[in-house]
Amino acid sequence: MYTDKIKKILFTEEEIKKRVAELGKQITEDYRDRDLVLVCLLKGAAWFCMDLNRAIDLPCQIDFMVVSSYGNGTETSGSVKVRLDVSCDLRGKDVLLIDDIVDSGVTLGAISTMLKEHSPASVKTIALCDKADRRINGFKCDYVGFVIPDEFIVGYGLDFAQDYRNLPFIGVLKSSAYERK
Ligand code: IMP
Ligand code: MG
């Protein structure tokens, strides 16, 4: 069975739902009377972004980017490539950049810097999970769902070599599952 590859569940579907609702409420308060655009990093943040979008009680636009830094491994390659850029005009907008997880900080650090070149009113970042101990560049995420230990996690959009995104919970992958890939 697919879920046999999971060592332990970190956050259940219900816990994720509750936390996303809290974040949506906080963002609704913080962005009232602003001009909010969510920029979602595909593919991993799509699941989180769609739920967060519906938890925000404000008019809000959405855009997508595809970036990559990981290849098929479990560690960052250190450089971020933009494979699909934003298509909205971000001038004067309040951009909230969304990723599934912040680890080394390389991805959100690099992409938030790039987005500032579009002359937005502001750029902030949100990640559902944060491996705070792994940061190599001092990057600080503005909104975080869960601070997690240094373990490779999958589910709710998070993948290992493109698999496991469809798990409704977030769990730690057994090391045997990635040794076999
Ligand atoms: P960073 O650039 O090192 O901060 O890594 C951010 C990106 O790495 C995320 O967008 C994820 O795609 C990926 N990533 C980091 N840790 C994990 C993990 O535990 N599981 C799945 N993907 C991860
Ligand atoms: Mg990613």
Side-chain angles (χ1 to χ4, degrees):
M1 218 175 98
Y2 199 34
T3 47
D4 290 348
K5 308 271 171 59
I6 303 301
K7 188 162 77 179
K8 68 172 183 255
I9 293 178
L10 279 189
F11 305 107
T12 64
E13 196 172 354
E14 291 69 34
E15 286 167 331
I16 296 169
K17 209 171 167 184
K18 181 167 173 281
R19 189 67 189 115
V20 172
E22 288 167 0
L23 289 166
K25 196 159 173 264
Q26 182 67 53
I27 290 162
T28 302
E29 284 167 22
D30 294 352
Y31 284 86
R32 208 172 291 288
D33 302 320
R34 307 294 295 266
D35 202 351
L36 179 60
V37 183
L38 304 182
V39 174
C40 171
L41 295 184
L42 295 176
K43 303 169 196 168
W47 287 254
F48 174 42
C49 180
M50 295 308 131
D51 289 338
L52 184 67
N53 188 25
R54 285 175 287 198
I56 296 172
D57 187 15
L58 294 173
C60 127
Q61 297 181 15
I62 191 159
D63 207 341
F64 301 93
M65 291 178 79
V66 177
V67 306
S68 61
S69 67
Y70 266 58
N72 275 349
T74 59
E75 293 278 333
T76 181
S77 69
S79 74
V80 183
K81 290 190 185 71
V82 175
R83 301 191 183 278
L84 175 78
D85 211 343
V86 284
S87 57
C88 285
D89 183 0
L90 299 180
R91 263 174 304 175
K93 305 279 190 195
D94 293 290
V95 174
L96 184 58
L97 175 62
I98 307 179
D99 207 357
D100 46 7
I101 184 166
V102 51
D103 182 5
S104 68
V106 169
T107 306
L108 283 179
I111 303 301
S112 57
T113 301
M114 284 179 207
L115 289 174
K116 285 176 190 154
E117 287 165 19
H118 293 253
S119 308
S122 66
V123 177
K124 287 197 171 182
T125 53
I126 178 167
L128 182 62
C129 296
D130 183 356
K131 290 185 193 170
D133 295 342
R134 296 255 305 166
R135 215 70 93 245
I136 60 170
N137 58 1
F139 177 80
K140 208 176 165 314
C141 201
D142 297 291
Y143 300 91
V144 167
F146 305 109
V147 175
I148 62 160
D150 179 13
E151 288 187 285
F152 199 80
I153 60 168
V154 293
Y156 194 65
L158 289 146
D159 72 306
F160 171 67
Q162 303 299 328
D163 285 333
Y164 306 101
R165 295 190 196 273
N166 59 328
L167 294 174
F169 55 81
I170 292 174
V172 179
L173 198 57
K174 284 181 185 164
S175 52
S176 58
Y178 42 87
E179 277 153 13
R180 233 176 288 130
K181 277 265 170 180

